[in-house]
Amino acid sequence: MSQYLLGIDNGGTMTKASIFDSQGAEVATVGKRLATLAPAPGYTERNLDEVWTANCQVIREVIEKSGIDPRDIRGIGVTGYGNGLCLVDEAGNPVCNGIVSSDNRGQEIVNEARRTGLEEKIFALNHQGLWSAQTSTLLAWVHRNDKETLDKARWFLSIKDFIRMKLTGEAYSEVTEASSAGLINIHTLEYDRELFALLGLEDYFHLAPRCLGCCDRGGEVTAEAAALTGLAQGTPVTGSMFDVNAGMLASGILDSSTLCLIAGTWSINEYLVDGLYYGYNESTNAISKAFLPGYYLVEESTPTSASNFEWFLEQFLEPDRPEMKKSDLYDECNRLVDSISPEESDIVFVPYLFSSATHPDAKACFFNLTSYSTRAHVIRAIYEGVVFSSMFHVKRLMTDGRTFERARLSGGLTNSPVWTQMMADVLQMPIDVLQASELSAQGVCIAAGIGCGMFTDYASATDGMVKVKKTYYPNPERSGIYQKKFAAYEKAQAALDFFHS
């Protein structure tokens, strides 16, 4: 009998369901774009009932598309964007819209915590700096601004934990994401009453769900969920992990020698480390518990990646070419970028359309536009700006003198050979692109496979499921020109700091 695993991924723009076989082959994937609500400036929300309906739809459709018997799905893993906030009542019904991880309403709480020294006290317990859409920050914001809603809640959950609960009827959190969300003591890996008290949330400790390990069983598909999704009742659902851990696991990274890069909606740059080596203000890196026992995940991430190019495509290219398929537009952009050598253009694009990696108020912009600039020059600048943003983060990851033998890259950027080669040339290291396109879903399928006994451990699972599609090697002749251009990019970032000071 064939055996399969189902991975569900609720990302920043799409909900997807993917089915993999035990050898890592992607049998089928179905995705659905979700509506994002912006009820006020800086707010990013979703109707959670609509999110659940979309999940049911893509699960039904991926089973139908695959042609498999749902009883042959051995286990289910669930992932999604990290942090944000879902508040539900005892029955699992949302008490308000879900807040997405690109939300910025909590920034004043972050600023206040830094001014008063509160952030440093929190860091001593959780090894986390506060940020605007962190679960802890958002809970504090709701407490200050909408206490009535908070009082209706029984659990706070992440988006993946919300979907697991809808599948199983059981409310849990999970250790990788909980350690990132700001309310877990990194030393004990348990929710800490002192952290709640420091944020003024001492009366809401009861909202914290029990925390699972990545491969722990987090319930089974209920009869109600089976009827809505087409899944077999009783199929086990694992604790799983949030997307940055899932992407690293599906990249087959099990030690500190390889850099993991994910270039999609967010620019995610991360590696594994075997200890808590950074003190407060010694690094801007975020540190959370890794999927791998004994390791932590060190991460530099901002939404400054390929989504900036998608915005340009949708606003300036698609309207002029309604007859062209999106894939053909991508091909045209690759040809335009490849028609200009790096030294032929000095346009700098800072990809801050959705958020900033430096000054919190900085916005996207172009530098050095002239009447000579063409569409090709502008598109090349966007490609370069996204890569330079990743380089900016990688440089900060390497401030302690750390080096990496190679990188593994996933996300929308890998669909462009031109863009991927540019990443290798800028970083000057070999870059492996993975066979699977849905890395986060594959990562939680690996955890589900271990949880249901299909695999014995992470090493055997990744040996069987993770495949490298192609390796891009850096062109040393382009090292100098990209170093010069990256220096110009850093000057542009500094100019934005000055402009918003």
Side-chain angles (χ1 to χ4, degrees), residues 11 21 25 101 130 133 144 149 165 204 207 217 219 242 275 311 357 369 372 382 419 426 428 435 483:
D21 68 18
S101 62
L130 289 173
R144 290 186 186 186
T149 292
M165 184 208 64
Y204 295 93
L207 299 186
R217 183 171 293 208
F242 72 128
W311 168 84
L369 286 171
Y372 174 73
I382 295 172
W419 216 345
V426 170
Q428 282 296 297
Q435 186 75 45
Q483 286 181 17

Side-chain angles (χ1 to χ4, degrees), residues 76 164 210-219 237-240 447 450-451:
I76 300 171
R164 189 194 320 101
R210 186 162 73 85
C211 197
L212 298 172
C214 300
C215 303
D216 291 345
R217 183 171 293 208
V237 187
T238 56
S240 308
I450 296 170

Side-chain angles (χ1 to χ4, degrees), residues 135-149:
T135 302
S136 57
T137 305
L138 291 172
L139 277 171
W141 186 94
V142 176
H143 178 245
R144 290 186 186 186
N145 295 277
D146 192 6
K147 185 175 180 297
E148 182 178 348
T149 292

